[in-house]
Amino acid sequence: MSPHKNPHLGGIVLGSTDPERLWEWYRTAFAPGAAKDGEMLGLELGGTYLIFESRDDVAAKAAEPGRILVNFEVADIRASEKHLDETLSVHWIRPVTDMDGEVFLATVEDPDGNYIQLYQEQEPKQDPSAGAGA
């Protein structure tokens, strides 16, 4: 057994020309009850921090929005879809799509033009002939 452990993903930093606006968008979208915690603009989401940082080496809009996608597993993708539409009027890159009965997948765009992917695993389909004895 190797003495080295795989690293733990502690966080993702989103550089922005307007990190306050981006923090507020993500808070509204995925963590409505969250409050600012000191000076750092961040949200703890499922054990990983999403951090919003002011950067002067990025454009106001992402030049290649599909290069890195922040991916969120949600419990109810249809409820998430409704929430995002009603509270933020998001731009859908890919509407909620059934991916061969295994997962639902959707992609939205954040205010900086980054693509955000949502997914929900589907329950395995039961074979109606399973358990039918002869």
Side-chain angles (χ1 to χ4, degrees), residues 20-92:
E20 289 270 347
R21 174 190 55 140
L22 204 56
W23 179 88
E24 183 61 36
W25 188 91
Y26 278 85
R27 184 196 65 76
T28 300
F30 302 110
K36 290 183 182 172
D37 185 17
E39 294 294 314
M40 183 184 81
L41 286 174
L43 295 168
E44 188 274 324
L45 298 164
T48 300
Y49 281 90
L50 192 56
I51 301 162
F52 308 90
E53 182 178 90
S54 181
R55 308 272 314 191
D56 60 9
D57 60 348
V58 299
K61 280 286 195 187
E64 296 178 308
R67 181 173 290 270
I68 295 176
L69 281 80
V70 178
N71 185 282
F72 292 104
E73 180 179 10
V74 296
D76 183 341
I77 201 162
R78 294 296 180 185
S80 295
E81 175 185 42
K82 182 178 179 186
H83 170 72
L84 291 169
D85 279 340
E86 290 178 355
T87 60
L88 295 167
S89 300
V90 298
H91 175 232
W92 293 91

Side-chain angles (χ1 to χ4, degrees), residues 98-104 120-128 130:
D98 184 337
M99 305 298 289
D100 297 326
E102 294 187 21
V103 298
F104 290 110
Q120 175 190 341
E121 291 187 21
Q122 296 185 42
E123 296 292 324
K125 302 243 191 280
Q126 296 294 327
D127 181 355

